[in-house]
Amino acid sequence: MEPLPTAEYSYNGVQITHVDQFLQYAQSAEASDMHLCSGAQPTWRRCGNIEVMFPDAEYLTAGHTRMLAESFLSPERLAQLDAQGDVDFAYEATFGRFRASVIRQRVGYDLVFRIIHAKLRTLTELGLPDSLKSLTQFHNGLVLVTGPVGSGKSTTLAALVDAINQERNDHIITLEDPIEYLIPSANCHVTQREVRTHTKSFAAALRGALREDPDVIMVGEMRDLETIQLAISASETGHLVLGTLHTGNAARTLDRVLDVFPSDQRDQIRVMVSESLRGIVSQQLIPRADGQGRVLALEVLTNNSAVANLIRDGKTFMLPGVIQTGKRAGMKLMDDSLTELLEAGLITGAEAYVRCEQKTLFRKYMNS
């Protein structure tokens, strides 16, 4: 299909000819994402909400978005966009890094960017509990960071990896789609690989990683049976594997891992996971009550004999009770985290109600 003709775009008399002009403004405004979509005004996501970037801005046409795509895509990526209708990768400008996705849709093109913080932040700087530090001290096993899209999973995972990087003398391999945080080698040797740039898939990269003498493997997304199977096997054979899933709490995470396997393999997989699991961190970013950014709500499960027995017996629905009684070991339920944020006045009752598990217990906060 022939590409659409380009067109000039301007705002308040300023001609905009490159996507970087939008990105610098979005970055300075501390937006988390930016959307340049045909048939809509330029928008961004701030504090979890989609907002118009400029008041009374002209609507973007297919020609505008084609021009903006051509302003930053290499000839190879532009050819890929024209041939298959989409392209996504990590875009590096002089002022920052961005996760970029460009697609062709019914009325033109959509360009969406995730703004990546250049500075790696520590677990403490992210406000994560000290108990998570213990997850970086294992030399084998499986650690999962879970949550919905845009909940900060990549940021938490990068902080965990860099904590290992600073304190151990190991080989760390990260497998990402795309590479977001750049993690320079410190006491560890860090190898970062990008799916579709350096390897064709997570599964292929994970198979390759096992031949590269790794101690720690970070899997950006465990999205299919083969990747999950390889990750569990690696965690059992002397590697610490850190990965992410798009699940909301510890119980659903384990159900998701187990449910991808054929039914005749699940008994064996339950035993393997019960022995290899080290911990699950489930998180959400919630708009603050004062409108000034977002705050982190967290569920933490660490493996012990009670947790392992429930996994082995297929009784993951009973895990909340074990988490509730494991507070001294650093465990925490998402509902308890939401309650703490409510009592501190950091989030509204309506936000807590939408995100909680026990709706009847939070109904009383609906109007607060």
Side-chain angles (χ1 to χ4, degrees):
M1 186 179 291
E2 288 294 319
L4 295 167
T6 60
E8 293 182 355
Y9 186 83
S10 62
Y11 176 71
N12 272 355
V14 176
Q15 187 175 354
I16 298 175
T17 60
H18 200 286
V19 76
D20 285 1
Q21 293 168 269
F22 284 109
L23 286 172
Q24 282 184 293
Y25 183 50
Q27 185 185 59
S28 67
E30 298 184 350
S32 62
D33 302 83
M34 183 182 76
H35 298 245
L36 304 173
C37 303
S38 297
Q41 294 172 292
T43 59
W44 54 25
R45 187 180 296 277
R46 296 178 68 212
C47 303
N49 300 313
I50 292 287
E51 304 168 349
V52 174
M53 290 178 67
F54 315 112
D56 304 318
E58 182 183 356
Y59 279 62
L60 292 159
T61 66
H64 294 143
T65 53
R66 175 71 189 190
M67 175 271 295
L68 291 168
E70 290 182 355
S71 75
F72 84 108
L73 291 178
S74 67
E76 294 77 17
R77 289 202 167 101
L78 198 57
Q80 180 185 342
L81 175 64
D82 289 336
Q84 65 186 45
D86 58 75
V87 59
D88 58 272
F89 62 101
Y91 172 57
E92 189 158 1
T94 56
F95 53 88
R97 284 175 57 80
F98 308 87
R99 191 168 72 195
S101 173
V102 184
I103 66 166
R104 185 165 189 155
Q105 47 104 326
R106 182 177 60 85
V107 296
Y109 297 89
D110 286 1
L111 291 72
V112 180
F113 298 85
R114 167 67 49 85
I115 297 167
I116 302 168
H117 290 283
K119 181 180 178 296
L120 271 171
R121 284 170 287 177
T122 66
L123 297 171
T124 302
E125 288 171 335
L126 293 173
L128 294 165
D130 292 340
S131 59
L132 296 196
K133 194 71 177 290
S134 65
L135 298 177
T136 68
Q137 294 166 3
F138 290 102
H139 289 267
N140 60 23
L142 183 64
V143 175
L144 298 173
V145 179
T146 77
V149 173
S151 60
K153 297 186 298 297
S154 297
T155 302
T156 296
L157 208 55
L160 290 168
V161 169
D162 200 50
I164 297 169
N165 182 31
Q166 299 297 329
E167 297 180 6
R168 287 164 54 170
N169 300 103
D170 288 335
H171 181 201
I172 301 171
I173 298 178
T174 77
L175 313 174
E176 304 172 67
D177 180 22
I179 293 171
E180 295 193 19
Y181 291 92
L182 302 180
I183 306 175
S185 298
N187 288 324
C188 292
H189 170 54
V190 182
T191 302
Q192 292 186 267
R193 301 189 73 198
E194 185 169 283
V195 172
R196 287 176 292 180
T197 301
H198 308 127
T199 180
K200 69 176 184 178
S201 68
F202 279 109
L206 193 44
R207 282 195 302 272
L210 294 173
R211 297 190 291 271
E212 297 298 319
D213 186 32
D215 299 287
V216 179
I217 304 171
M218 188 267 269
V219 185
E221 191 172 332
M222 293 166 57
R223 59 175 64 155
D224 56 53
L225 170 60
E226 188 178 9
T227 304
I228 292 172
Q229 194 167 35
L230 287 166
I232 293 171
S233 297
S235 70
E236 280 206 315
T237 55
H239 308 88
L240 179 61
V241 179
L242 301 95
T244 69
L245 285 167
H246 294 294
T247 48
N249 62 27
R252 282 197 286 272
T253 297
L254 288 165
D255 290 341
R256 171 76 176 86
V257 168
L258 297 170
D259 287 349
V260 299
F261 289 90
S263 56
D264 61 342
Q265 295 181 22
R266 286 180 193 161
D267 288 345
Q268 177 189 357
I269 295 300
R270 277 198 290 267
V271 172
M272 293 172 68
V273 172
S274 72
E275 295 173 350
S276 63
L277 182 71
R278 300 302 179 214
I280 299 173
V281 181
S282 299
Q283 56 187 65
Q284 301 182 60
L285 283 173
I286 305 174
R288 293 174 61 102
D290 61 8
Q292 303 300 307
R294 292 184 291 175
V295 65
L296 182 68
L298 209 63
E299 178 165 296
V300 181
L301 174 143
T302 52
N303 202 359
N304 58 24
S305 58
V307 171
N309 286 335
L310 291 178
I311 297 171
R312 199 161 35 241
D313 295 340
K315 297 179 179 178
T316 53
F317 65 91
M318 296 178 66
L319 284 171
V322 176
I323 297 173
Q324 187 72 47
T325 58
K327 290 181 179 179
R328 290 187 178 180
M331 296 198 222
K332 178 184 283 190
L333 284 170
M334 180 63 72
D335 282 3
D336 289 341
S337 183
L338 292 170
T339 299
E340 290 173 7
L341 294 172
L342 265 174
E343 291 176 348
L346 294 174
I347 63 174
T348 65
E351 292 285 359
Y353 181 79
V354 169
R355 292 166 169 79
C356 71
E357 294 292 327
Q358 301 295 323
K359 299 294 185 186
T360 54
L361 298 179
F362 279 78
R363 193 166 288 125
K364 60 186 177 184
Y365 299 117
M366 276 292 291
N367 298 317
S368 63

